[in-house]
Amino acid sequence: DAKTTQPPSMDCAEGRAANLPCNHSTISGNEYVYWYRQIHSQGPQYIIHGLKNNETNEMASLIITEDRKSSTLILPHATLRDTAVYYCIVRSHSGGGADGLTFGKGTHLIIQP
Amino acid sequence: DAGVIQSPRHEVTEMGQEVTLRCKPISGHNSLFWYRQTMMRGLELLIYFNNNVPIDDSGMPEDRFSAKMPNASFSTLKIQPSEPRDSAVYFCASLGGNTIYFGEGSWLTVV
């Protein structure tokens, strides 16, 4: 079973920040929080990951609460091309780093024009 | 970098036929994963390899499914014989550093 809980769907206006929440209350100390997205008919695309500090890259920002039980993915200026299913996944880097990703149902983010 | 390359992108086959899906991971990546995606079950991990050795095949649905990785740059997922319920999108992915990168998938329809 997936170890994360996400809302099934969200809407966001084009040009606004999209904030996608994720609960992972049973996360263990060596597990990272990963975000992927899947645009229709494409393979899942890596967005960002973090352990306990906030992270930012060219695609998004990841805010992890101090107790690490939840996180938020922020797309700062959403565009129509950001419409996709967003998956929050917890994953350990142990075991040689070869642990796979366990996908839940994700959040279907719809960007409205 | 060309990314993870999968072939065929689309395949329609008749029930009972053998299906072979192919994957070329990103060069230098030591782990390779096969996933299946359906509307009912979402994305499921079927099997993964580390340094060409199968590590965990507990997700392989039945004996009709088999996967091989003869070298670091090639893997196959075979279904023999195929059944309509095998219709799905099959994704291959490879691990670089701590990030898993996916191919664009092979869309399989078994009629």
Side-chain angles (χ1 to χ4, degrees), chain B residues 32-96:
Chain B
L32 181 142
F33 306 81
W34 282 101
Y35 282 82
R36 178 174 68 175
Q37 186 172 32
T38 61
M39 288 291 293
M40 292 295 294
R41 300 176 66 90
L43 274 157
E44 303 173 280
L45 177 63
L46 300 178
I47 185 171
Y48 77 86
F49 296 83
N50 194 28
N51 292 322
N52 312 336
V53 176
I55 302 300
D56 183 358
D57 65 355
S58 60
M60 296 285 263
E62 23 188 304
D63 292 345
R64 298 184 295 107
F65 286 69
S66 63
K68 294 182 179 180
M69 191 165 186
N71 57 62
S73 59
F74 183 66
S75 176
T76 59
L77 178 68
K78 186 174 293 187
I79 308 172
Q80 166 64 19
S82 58
E83 297 182 2
R85 60 191 167 128
D86 301 330
S87 297
V89 185
Y90 291 82
F91 290 104
C92 177
S94 66
L95 174 68

Side-chain angles (χ1 to χ4, degrees), chain A residues 41-101:
Chain A
S41 302
Q42 298 182 17
Q45 177 189 23
Y46 167 78
I47 301 173
I48 198 167
H49 75 279
L51 183 63
K52 54 184 178 181
N53 297 322
N54 297 337
E55 302 287 344
T56 295
N57 63 20
E58 65 279 5
M59 291 182 68
S61 295
L62 174 60
I63 308 298
I64 303 174
T65 58
E66 191 170 345
D67 63 8
R68 303 210 320 125
K69 292 185 177 182
S70 65
S71 60
T72 301
L73 178 74
I74 301 172
L75 307 179
H77 304 287
T79 70
L80 297 178
R81 290 179 298 177
D82 292 321
T83 292
V85 178
Y86 287 77
Y87 297 97
C88 169
I89 302 163
V90 295
R91 173 176 173 258
S92 171
H93 288 181
S94 62
D99 293 352
L101 298 164

